[in-house]
Amino acid sequence: MKKLLILIISIFLISCNGQENKKLVTNNKKMDKQNLEYLTFGGGCFWCVESCFNLLKGVDKVISGYSGGHKENPTYEEVCTGETGHAEVVQIAYDPKIISYEQLMDVFFFLHDPTTLNRQGNDIGTQYRSVIFYKDDAEKAKAEQALKKSEASGKYSGKYVTEITKLEKFWPAEQYHQGYYEANPTQPYCSAVVGPKIAKFKKHYGDLGMLRPEVD
């Protein structure tokens, strides 16, 4: 009886390990850097958004920057006044054979509240607005569909205020903003706001097998 019990437990463990290994290799294809696509959107402070998307399989690079304004080559200080019209955004280079536009949109709506106008938590101003930028009509249609899907999910009870806007220009932010959280994890805002959000993100998308193996 004891041996039988040990055998049953062993089979169960092997089965569980097999499922876990299967999860870890999901979408574990080699990235095709010659055929990357690009997606630009804003969902609050770009320090957090950039850090989270950089953890996903299929994402080659994430750059923090500014879009949607009227001033050429804006600075962070100018954008923070709200007078240039820009939003803090990230531009993502990704391999659509590994991670789809639709999956990236699911992450986008997971990471911020699309029902708060010009605000995310204590970050207030038009530079923190919820906005998706599209490059052509086909991508506009996909953005509209992603928005409808998120609204139908019932995750947020308020009315969505996410803008869907034609991308005119993306301006990379100053170098010190790139990888900001990784370089400054103990900075007060990072430790109080960004860190907890990244931890929540890792738990959710790690369980779905969507993180790079080294961070899953």
Side-chain angles (χ1 to χ4, degrees), residues 160-172:
Y160 278 52
V161 294
T162 303
E163 299 176 11
I164 298 178
T165 305
K166 179 70 180 292
L167 178 66
E168 300 296 339
K169 183 70 177 181
F170 169 76
W171 301 97

Side-chain angles (χ1 to χ4, degrees), residues 101-164:
Y101 179 96
E102 290 74 19
Q103 287 175 308
L104 291 170
M105 281 290 96
D106 286 344
V107 177
F108 169 72
F109 286 114
F110 176 87
L111 283 176
H112 81 294
D113 186 343
T115 69
T116 53
L117 182 63
N118 300 329
R119 177 174 185 167
Q120 287 300 310
N122 291 323
D123 294 329
I124 302 173
T126 55
Q127 68 270 32
Y128 300 115
R129 65 187 182 272
S130 175
V131 55
I132 304 168
F133 291 93
Y134 63 88
K135 64 178 182 292
D136 53 33
D137 288 343
E139 193 168 271
K140 179 182 180 182
K142 290 198 292 185
E144 291 172 340
Q145 184 60 37
L147 179 61
K148 290 179 182 178
K149 176 184 175 184
S150 185
E151 287 177 323
S153 72
K155 179 180 179 181
Y156 303 100
S157 58
K159 181 180 178 181
Y160 278 52
V161 294
T162 303
E163 299 176 11
I164 298 178

Side-chain angles (χ1 to χ4, degrees), residues 155-209:
K155 179 180 179 181
Y156 303 100
S157 58
K159 181 180 178 181
Y160 278 52
V161 294
T162 303
E163 299 176 11
I164 298 178
T165 305
K166 179 70 180 292
L167 178 66
E168 300 296 339
K169 183 70 177 181
F170 169 76
W171 301 97
E174 295 83 346
Q175 187 57 42
Y176 74 89
H177 285 299
Q178 312 304 331
Y180 188 88
Y181 174 77
E182 287 70 24
N184 306 275
T186 60
Q187 190 257 23
Y189 181 89
C190 287
S191 59
V193 179
V194 183
K197 184 172 285 192
I198 292 174
K200 180 181 178 182
F201 170 85
K202 283 184 176 181
K203 175 64 172 64
H204 182 78
Y205 287 97
D207 288 345
L208 293 177

Side-chain angles (χ1 to χ4, degrees), residues 6-7 11 20 27-28 30 34 36 53 74 82 96 98 116-117 136 154 162 168 187 204 208:
I6 293 174
L7 178 60
I11 293 172
E20 181 67 14
N27 280 344
N28 196 25
K30 185 175 180 180
Q34 301 302 313
L36 297 176
F53 276 92
I98 298 177
T116 53
L117 182 63
D136 53 33
T162 303
E168 300 296 339
Q187 190 257 23
H204 182 78
L208 293 177

Side-chain angles (χ1 to χ4, degrees), residues 47-67:
W47 295 345
C48 174
V49 181
E50 176 204 301
S51 295
C52 288
F53 276 92
N54 262 325
L55 301 176
L56 292 169
K57 294 176 183 176
V59 171
D60 179 58
K61 190 174 185 180
V62 185
I63 300 176
S64 292
Y66 317 111
S67 286

